[in-house]
Amino acid sequence: MSLLRSAVAAIGLLLVAVQPVAADEILIRFAHVVGERTPKGEGATLFKTLVEQRLAGRVRVEVYPRSIKFNDNQVLLALLLGDAEMAAPSLAKFRTYTKKLQIFDLPFLFKDMEALHRFQASPPGRALLDSMEERGIKGLAYWDNGPRVISANQPLRRPEDARGLTFRIEPSSVFHAQWSRIGVNTFPMAFKQVYDAVREGLVKGQENAWSNIYSRKLHTVHRYFTEVGHTYLGYMVVTSSNFWNSLPPDIRTELENILAEVTAEVRRLAQEKAIANRREIAESGQVTVMTLNEAERDVWRQALMPVWKEFEAEIGKDLIDAAVASNQ
Ligand code: LMR
């Protein structure tokens, strides 16, 4: 190929690869850390599809899954610096921006997903979406994943079975304190590193939702899974207050409507995947899934729940009471 022809071909490739944003087109870069086939991954893709249908030519969305752009620590800073416009970190990842959201990390707080949803929809739950406004972060919606399950290469039926093990945790002070109560060492690390850390034995235990365990193949490196029922993994979809306030009001309203629609779909997908991914893991023949009876769960409750007291001042007793009331 002549030099000229290769140069023309290269320019052609460049034109295909880079789709410039039209001068007045708004770009939303949505970065997250999980796979595309998880509830959050599918939610982000659906958000892009609906925005580009309904706000064609006015807003374009680029989705960056699997930490290819930022991990959850980095992404909040990226929102503030204008390097990304949307993210949906787990509720356990906001502690440097507000202590209030630690409420979602308290063990055995919500009796089921319906109670969690009731609290999120209540005035104190909605107010939490604005709890980081003075730090420049705005909450737009709550998205679901599902109950966290714990795993190791030995059966963890009772709290003492885990004593002395090191668990990978999300960077939550509540999780650290809760596991410390039963003699578990904790190692906070980014989601992207978990598979290798488990495979190489750097951590002996971990906790996550079924869809994350399945999509990251954690069931190929851990043999025993226990459904303790202690917490739910959920997300807050966030943006920066600066970006949000800079949007024309009609676009903001349309984005809010789309988010409400996507949130409903993420809830449905979360429920569906929690069941389907659990079944696929249980039927893989590689692992044992242990479900506890009420008496066994009660032992975990007694061991972990005293951690509430440690965080009552930071979270606020009124807020904890409101969350407890959503169980009625
Ligand atoms: C984790 O770090 O384990 C999760 O928060 C990842 C996620 O976004 O579901």
Side-chain angles (χ1 to χ4, degrees):
M1 205 191 273
S2 76
L3 208 60
L4 183 64
R5 276 176 60 199
S6 354
V8 169
I11 291 169
L13 269 181
L14 212 73
L15 289 177
V16 173
V18 181
Q19 292 178 22
V21 182
D24 50 359
E25 198 175 49
I26 295 161
L27 174 63
I28 297 182
R29 289 162 294 182
F30 189 149
H32 67 83
V33 300
V34 292
E36 288 96 326
R37 304 300 307 277
T38 58
K40 178 161 61 181
E42 295 204 12
T45 308
L46 178 62
F47 176 75
K48 172 182 167 66
T49 305
L50 295 181
V51 169
E52 294 185 351
Q53 265 168 20
R54 296 183 197 163
L55 292 165
R58 299 187 71 196
V59 182
R60 190 154 70 76
V61 180
E62 289 173 0
V63 179
Y64 296 93
R66 289 176 277 106
S67 317
I68 55 179
K69 211 168 170 69
F70 302 109
N71 70 28
D72 279 332
N73 263 344
Q74 298 160 336
V75 82
L76 295 171
L77 204 57
L79 294 179
L80 295 174
L81 295 173
D83 293 331
E85 286 69 33
M86 271 173 76
S90 134
L91 292 161
K93 301 219 171 122
F94 292 100
R95 70 171 173 181
T96 37
Y97 295 84
T98 175
K99 301 289 181 208
K100 297 262 170 220
L101 287 176
Q102 295 181 121
I103 188 155
F104 293 105
D105 300 348
L106 294 179
F108 297 103
L109 180 61
F110 299 107
K111 69 170 189 201
D112 51 27
M113 291 301 255
E114 285 69 40
L116 170 73
H117 294 158
R118 269 196 295 278
F119 174 67
Q120 289 174 336
S122 71
R126 304 245 4 123
L128 287 174
L129 293 169
D130 297 329
S131 61
M132 296 176 283
E133 286 256 34
E134 63 184 39
R135 307 292 305 275
I137 301 280
K138 180 166 182 55
L140 299 171
Y142 291 108
W143 281 4
D144 282 350
N145 195 323
R148 285 192 182 84
V149 182
I150 61 171
S151 69
N153 276 326
Q154 63 194 65
L156 304 176
R157 195 169 266 289
R158 297 157 311 164
E160 57 264 40
D161 298 334
R163 186 173 302 139
L165 298 186
T166 300
F167 270 36
R168 178 271 170 169
I169 56 164
E170 296 176 62
S172 147
S173 307
V174 177
F175 293 168
H176 168 73
Q178 152 196 298
W179 293 123
S180 300
R181 296 195 76 83
I182 59 165
V184 167
N185 306 308
T186 61
F187 195 151
M189 81 179 61
F191 181 61
K192 193 179 159 75
Q193 299 164 322
V194 179
Y195 176 83
D196 287 336
V198 169
R199 197 192 49 191
E200 284 156 24
L202 182 63
V203 293
K204 301 286 187 209
Q206 68 86 41
E207 55 173 352
N208 224 312
W210 284 120
S211 68
N212 282 348
I213 292 166
Y214 184 71
S215 63
R216 288 300 288 138
K217 298 190 169 38
L218 292 172
H219 59 295
T220 63
V221 284
H222 265 172
R223 285 201 302 279
Y224 295 93
F225 290 78
T226 315
E227 297 180 299
V228 178
H230 57 308
T231 48
Y232 294 98
L233 169 59
Y235 308 106
M236 189 181 282
V237 182
V238 286
T239 183
S240 80
S241 312
N242 269 349
F243 172 72
W244 197 246
N245 295 336
S246 75
L247 294 172
D250 65 320
I251 288 191
R252 220 160 34 212
T253 305
E254 188 57 45
L255 291 177
E256 276 165 359
N257 293 339
I258 292 171
L259 267 173
E261 210 172 310
V262 177
T263 298
E265 178 60 7
V266 170
R267 278 191 184 181
R268 195 192 63 73
L269 283 167
Q271 239 179 345
E272 188 179 281
K273 285 179 189 290
I275 296 168
N277 292 159
R278 179 197 186 282
R279 192 182 45 237
E280 275 153 304
I281 290 169
E283 289 174 359
S284 67
Q286 292 169 296
V287 306
T288 303
V289 176
M290 293 179 290
T291 305
L292 305 180
N293 62 35
E294 256 327 293
E296 288 169 321
R297 186 161 290 133
D298 225 36
V299 177
W300 288 89
R301 218 178 254 129
Q302 311 264 333
L304 303 182
M305 274 184 69
V307 83
W308 287 27
K309 269 272 167 257
E310 282 180 54
F311 290 87
E312 193 179 276
E314 278 184 3
I315 296 170
K317 179 147 184 358
D318 288 357
L319 197 58
I320 297 178
D321 289 346
V324 170
S326 67
N327 286 319
Q328 310 305 324

